[in-house]
Amino acid sequence: MNLNHDPQILAVAPQEALQEALGQFPGIVWTTDTQSVITSAYGAGLTALGLKPNQTVGMSLAEYFQTDDPHFPVLAAHRRVMLGDLRTMSMQWEGREFETRMQPLRNASGAVTGCLGIAYDVTERNRSARVLPEYVAQMRAGVERAPDFIFHVDRAGTMTYAESSLPDYQPNLVIGTKVAQWLRPETMAIVEQAMQRVFVDRQPQHIEIPAPGAGSPDRWYDVRLRPVLEKEQAVGLAAVAYDITERKLVELRLREQVELLAQVLANIPRGVLWKGRDGTYLGCNETFTRFVGLNHPRDVIGRRDEELPVAQGMKDWLRESDEEVLEKEFSKLDIEKTFSREDGAVVTLSATKVPLRDSAGKTVGVLGTLVDVTQRKKWEQELREAREELERRVMQRTDELTAANKRLRDEEGRLQSILDNSTAIVYVKDAAGRFTLVNSQFCKLFHISAEEVVGKYDAEVFPPEIAAKFRANDLQVQAERRAIQFEEVAPHDEGPHHYISVKFPIGESPDGSCSVCGISTDITDRKVSEERLRNEERLMRRLLELRERERMLLAYDIHDGLVQDIVGAKMLLEGQGSELEDGAQLDATTYQQVLHLLVQAIDEGRRMISELRPPILDEQGIIGSIEYLVAEQLQKSGCRIRFRHHVTFDRLSPLLEQTVFRIVQEALNNVARHSSAPEAEVNLSQTGQRIRIEIRDRGVGFDPAGVSSARFGLRGIIERARLFGGNATIDSRPGEGTCIVVEVPINQDGPSE
């Protein structure tokens, strides 16, 4: 209870609650009136004085304390309180010690109406304060460090005094509380037993216990208890406690390590031994005891090597190198020895020995290990034999692989040679469409190195529309998982080329995709040849049509011209036949008519012969024939044509002469029909074994691309030149005239196939 509480609070508190609270107060609370008569008395401290609550009510202070001495502390203090003062004091009564506080009681107007007294029983505390230092000094004897917790406990188990450096056990927390409040039940049982011995036997006790902390794991304490004696009776105990948590943890770890070491020694597949400098065994593990034919390490300890139940050779080997290890203080590793056992089996043991040192580093003996390496030796031998066999097989396999690699390189070389010398394009693409291999023909045609193209997509090498077509074909092969033939177009320097591409799947990845290999053959020449063949077929059909037309025209000419003239002459002669049979003479008119008809028939026959093959070719050759054409053209159309020639040949083959004649004839006919040019020129020249014919005019000109395929004239010139292994070019533009140039070899006997 706080002594500074306003007394008015007590005046207004409910009576029953106030009495209950005051009854539990660890001291005495009393009140008096102005005449020092006791009006109330409560508190647990009354029991120590042999009183009950309110037992002294009605008695004056002088009557209770049995004195009229005005200087008696309580009486003197009461007079001062009646004057409005507050008094505190220490006093002894009935063998008890009290700290007392007395203050005035006032009414609502502030007038003093009595005294309120509060007394704390500090008997045990003061007793502990007096005797505890002595006991603490005694308990500290032989202990290097100061205790962490000092406390006093009365016979009821209540802590009445405490000094502490522990956060969880500060004096303000523990004084006045029971020891059991701070311990777990199982720990408290140990503490109660120790406290009982202190109180009854009056003998000091020493215990180690765990105690819980606030929000932390249990900590361990070394607690030492001594009785507090008064008149040969234990009225309490004094105790000191040391926090030994760290030591406990170290001990726990040490025990774990010792247990672990024991487990290691028991289970290690090696015999472990340690001897003193005199050769006496100080210890070993169970594995070693089995090596020497004993049952337990205690059967070995204290013996020497010569006392072990093993063959003399093994005794000597166990003792071997001990002196060297002790004298030179260095380790001997892997000391091996082979023994023959009584059953005839051969075993090999391996030992390692090192100096055994004490904590100061002094060599006090030998530490050794022993292991049976018989099986290991067998395995090593088998391993050596297996390694030798493996090396032999590896060498053999290496030779085979070397030969196979050489064959593979040769095959790869041949394959690469085939790829690089193939006129076809060969390439491989992965499932995503990236190039992984190309041959030299690919690089040559598309002007890109293999290093540049590998890893790229079609779209990075070819125009978009071509690349898209290539990729679509590749995807079809991947989808159908079979070889497929495509006709594809690829760009070249001189323009697009046509290819027959055979594409087929190769390999297969875990996800089911596959690469694509392609072999593309350039069929552009074949395409051109096919087109040329189609053109030739059209030409042949046209030639046949023209031939039939010429035959029909020739038949018409013969029928309408030559035959008509001859028939007319025949009819005239037949009309005079009867007269001539009578001996009459043919009259002059009829004669002239017949003669005229025959002359016409002869001229018509010659004209037709000239059109079929001009006789002038046989008579004068190509030079005279062209001169004839030039003169004939001037006569027909009035176009002046200049003919120049510079050749070294005398005559050409009849077929070549006729071809050149027909080319010049067709060209001059075109000049006369279409050019509207007043003049033209024909140039015939020879360069080596080739002749060149050039026909040029300065007429209206035309667009060669706009000429209908049904017009045979220009096409005939080109085909005549080609059939004789030559070529013809026609250069013309509207308004700029026309130039036809034909070149043919002169060593041709006939048209080429």
Side-chain angles (χ1 to χ4, degrees):
M1 177 175 290
N2 192 337
L3 298 181
N4 294 319
H5 277 316
D6 189 342
Q8 297 302 321
I9 296 177
L10 299 176
V12 299
Q15 189 67 26
E16 293 181 358
L18 177 61
Q19 291 178 357
E20 181 179 357
L22 292 176
Q24 297 178 3
F25 176 67
I28 302 172
V29 179
W30 79 94
T31 58
T32 65
D33 59 16
T34 56
Q35 301 301 316
S36 73
V37 176
I38 300 172
T39 58
S40 67
Y42 296 95
L46 293 172
T47 303
L49 298 178
L51 298 174
K52 296 180 180 180
N54 290 331
Q55 182 178 342
T56 58
V57 171
M59 298 176 65
S60 68
L61 294 178
E63 290 175 337
Y64 175 73
F65 288 108
Q66 299 177 359
T67 180
D68 292 329
D69 184 0
H71 300 291
F72 187 75
V74 175
L75 299 180
H78 187 272
R79 289 195 302 271
R80 298 297 301 175
V81 170
M82 290 300 100
L83 297 176
D85 292 341
L86 184 148
R87 309 298 290 175
T88 60
M89 59 184 175
S90 297
M91 61 176 293
Q92 295 183 355
W93 183 253
E94 298 291 338
R96 310 299 294 179
E97 298 179 14
F98 295 93
E99 287 185 357
T100 305
R101 175 188 176 96
M102 299 171 66
Q103 62 189 55
L105 284 174
R106 300 177 186 272
N107 59 17
S109 61
V112 176
T113 60
C115 172
L116 170 65
I118 301 174
Y120 281 101
D121 188 340
V122 294
T123 307
E124 298 298 333
R125 189 193 72 181
N126 290 345
R127 181 183 297 156
S128 298
R130 288 192 297 272
V131 301
L132 199 57
E134 177 184 352
Y135 288 110
V136 170
Q138 294 174 359
M139 288 185 287
R140 281 181 174 173
V143 180
E144 295 181 357
R145 67 186 181 95
D148 297 296
F149 187 28
I150 303 171
F151 58 98
H152 179 272
V153 180
D154 63 17
R155 292 185 69 93
T158 302
M159 287 185 279
T160 60
Y161 177 84
E163 294 181 13
S164 176
S165 62
L166 304 174
D168 294 333
Y169 301 99
Q170 290 299 305
N172 63 320
L173 299 176
V174 300
I175 291 176
T177 64
K178 298 288 187 179
V179 174
Q181 178 180 337
W182 301 90
L183 299 174
R184 291 193 174 88
E186 62 272 17
T187 305
M188 189 59 200
I190 299 173
V191 174
E192 285 180 343
Q193 185 178 7
M195 291 172 60
Q196 187 67 20
R197 289 175 181 172
V198 171
F199 289 137
V200 175
D201 300 336
R202 295 180 293 176
Q203 295 295 321
Q205 297 294 311
H206 183 189
I207 58 176
E208 293 182 357
I209 59 172
S216 62
D218 288 2
R219 300 190 68 82
W220 279 84
Y221 297 95
D222 179 339
V223 183
R224 305 180 185 191
L225 305 98
R226 293 177 64 88
V228 176
L229 300 176
E230 189 173 296
K231 297 179 181 181
E232 300 300 323
Q233 295 295 321
V235 296
L237 64 83
V240 294
Y242 299 87
D243 189 336
I244 59 170
T245 305
E246 295 300 326
R247 192 195 79 189
K248 282 290 185 179
L249 292 175
V250 171
E251 291 175 353
L252 176 62
R253 287 194 291 268
L254 182 60
R255 281 196 301 273
E256 291 174 348
Q257 292 174 358
V258 170
E259 292 173 359
L260 178 61
L261 179 59
Q263 289 294 322
V264 170
L265 287 175
N267 293 283
I268 191 173
R270 286 175 174 264
V272 181
L273 59 101
W274 50 100
K275 309 177 185 178
R277 295 187 69 90
D278 61 354
T280 301
Y281 280 92
L282 303 176
C284 68
N285 67 349
E286 293 184 1
T287 304
F288 180 78
T289 62
R290 290 193 292 272
F291 275 123
V292 296
L294 297 174
N295 298 321
H296 196 274
R298 61 174 171 267
D299 300 330
V300 177
I301 295 173
R303 295 193 185 194
R304 300 168 67 90
D305 290 319
E306 56 269 19
E307 297 173 324
L308 297 176
V310 295
Q312 186 61 43
M314 187 170 181
K315 294 178 181 179
D316 296 338
W317 180 71
L318 288 172
R319 191 169 54 250
E320 185 178 328
S321 72
D322 283 1
E323 293 183 1
E324 189 175 3
V325 171
L326 291 172
E327 291 178 4
K328 298 182 179 180
E329 296 191 351
F330 67 82
S331 303
K332 294 283 288 183
L333 307 177
D334 299 327
I335 310 167
E336 292 187 357
K337 185 74 173 181
T338 301
F339 303 96
S340 295
R341 294 194 312 213
E342 293 180 358
D343 59 1
V346 177
V347 297
T348 301
L349 301 180
S350 175
T352 294
K353 294 183 179 181
V354 299
L356 178 64
R357 293 183 170 86
D358 60 15
S359 59
K362 180 181 178 181
T363 300
V364 296
V366 175
L367 173 64
T369 62
L370 187 67
V371 61
D372 186 342
V373 295
T374 305
Q375 189 63 41
R376 191 190 75 187
K377 286 291 184 180
K378 180 181 178 182
W379 289 339
E380 288 176 352
Q381 179 61 29
E382 292 175 352
L383 183 60
R384 281 194 296 271
E385 294 174 355
R387 184 183 297 113
E388 292 173 359
E389 176 64 17
L390 179 61
E391 290 176 353
R392 184 187 66 78
R393 292 186 180 184
V394 167
M395 292 180 62
Q396 178 181 352
R397 185 57 178 162
T398 301
D399 293 340
E400 293 174 355
L401 290 176
T402 301
N405 286 336
K406 184 178 183 303
R407 290 193 299 272
L408 181 59
R409 286 193 297 271
D410 292 343
E411 290 296 329
E412 288 178 348
R414 284 192 288 270
L415 177 60
Q416 191 63 45
S417 178
I418 291 172
L419 291 176
D420 290 340
N421 290 282
S422 172
T423 57
I425 297 172
V426 183
Y427 47 88
V428 178
K429 304 175 192 176
D430 64 17
R434 292 182 292 261
F435 285 97
T436 60
L437 180 145
V438 295
N439 69 342
S440 59
Q441 184 71 356
F442 185 104
C443 301
K444 175 182 176 183
L445 293 178
F446 301 122
H447 307 297
I448 189 171
S449 67
E451 292 77 11
E452 292 174 318
V453 74
V454 168
K456 291 186 175 180
Y457 298 94
D458 287 317
E460 298 176 90
V461 180
F462 301 106
E465 63 279 2
I466 293 178
K469 181 62 177 176
F470 290 166
R471 183 56 180 159
N473 294 343
D474 294 345
L475 292 174
Q476 183 179 347
V477 171
Q478 291 176 330
E480 298 183 16
R481 288 292 197 280
R482 65 183 181 88
I484 304 177
Q485 178 174 298
F486 302 96
E487 185 171 329
E488 298 177 326
V489 177
H492 280 234
D493 293 342
E494 64 276 12
H497 276 221
H498 293 264
Y499 284 85
I500 286 293
S501 297
V502 178
K503 297 186 176 183
F504 50 91
I506 57 174
E508 185 169 344
S509 60
D511 62 359
S513 60
C514 63
S515 299
V516 174
C517 179
I519 302 174
S520 300
T521 303
D522 192 337
I523 60 168
T524 305
D525 291 342
R526 191 185 81 183
K527 283 282 188 180
V528 172
S529 298
E530 290 174 352
E531 182 63 26
R532 182 181 298 154
L533 180 60
R534 286 192 291 270
N535 291 337
E536 288 177 356
E537 289 175 351
R538 288 193 294 269
L539 176 63
M540 290 303 296
R541 286 194 296 270
R542 181 64 174 158
L543 288 174
L544 290 174
E545 291 173 359
L546 290 175
R547 180 180 178 184
E548 289 301 317
R549 181 168 174 267
E550 288 176 352
R551 286 182 176 180
M552 182 178 66
L553 292 175
L554 180 60
Y556 289 159
D557 287 344
I558 293 173
H559 178 272
D560 296 338
L562 179 62
V563 172
Q564 292 296 328
D565 290 338
I566 294 174
V567 169
K570 177 177 176 294
M571 291 177 63
L572 289 174
L573 291 175
E574 287 177 348
Q576 296 291 320
S578 58
E579 295 178 5
L580 293 176
E581 289 177 359
D582 294 337
Q585 294 293 323
L586 183 65
D587 64 79
T589 301
T590 301
Y591 173 77
Q592 289 297 324
Q593 290 177 342
V594 171
L595 182 61
H596 177 71
L597 290 172
L598 291 175
V599 169
Q600 280 186 317
I602 292 171
D603 289 342
E604 184 66 20
R606 287 176 176 172
R607 184 186 65 78
M608 288 187 291
I609 291 172
S610 177
E611 287 184 359
L612 291 174
R613 177 173 174 81
I616 193 171
L617 275 175
D618 297 325
E619 297 170 359
Q620 299 185 23
I622 191 62
I623 301 297
S625 299
I626 293 176
E627 289 176 342
Y628 166 77
L629 289 174
V630 169
E632 184 182 44
Q633 195 62 242
L634 177 63
Q635 182 179 0
K636 287 181 179 180
S637 63
C639 179
R640 295 185 301 277
I641 299 172
R642 183 171 56 188
F643 173 50
R644 291 182 295 186
H645 54 86
H646 180 71
V647 296
T648 59
F649 60 81
D650 183 22
R651 293 293 300 265
L652 300 174
S653 66
L655 287 175
L656 183 55
E657 284 184 339
Q658 183 176 356
T659 296
V660 174
F661 178 83
R662 293 301 185 193
I663 289 172
V664 175
Q665 184 183 42
E666 181 64 30
L668 292 179
N669 286 338
N670 286 339
V671 171
R673 293 173 189 159
H674 307 295
S675 72
S676 301
E679 59 183 14
E681 60 183 64
V682 178
N683 296 311
L684 178 65
S685 61
Q686 178 182 356
T687 302
Q689 293 299 309
R690 295 180 71 83
I691 59 175
R692 185 174 189 272
I693 307 109
E694 179 181 331
I695 303 96
R696 180 187 299 274
D697 69 67
R698 293 174 178 78
V700 296
F702 65 97
D703 181 5
V707 177
S708 171
S709 59
R711 302 298 298 271
F712 180 72
L714 295 177
R715 183 65 180 167
I717 292 174
I718 294 172
E719 289 301 323
R720 289 180 191 275
R722 189 188 65 79
L723 288 173
F724 275 84
N727 58 78
T729 59
I730 301 171
D731 184 15
S732 180
R733 292 180 182 82
E736 297 183 11
T738 301
C739 178
I740 299 174
V741 177
V742 178
E743 291 186 359
V744 292
I746 62 176
N747 56 356
Q748 289 281 353
D749 293 331
S752 60
E753 296 181 358

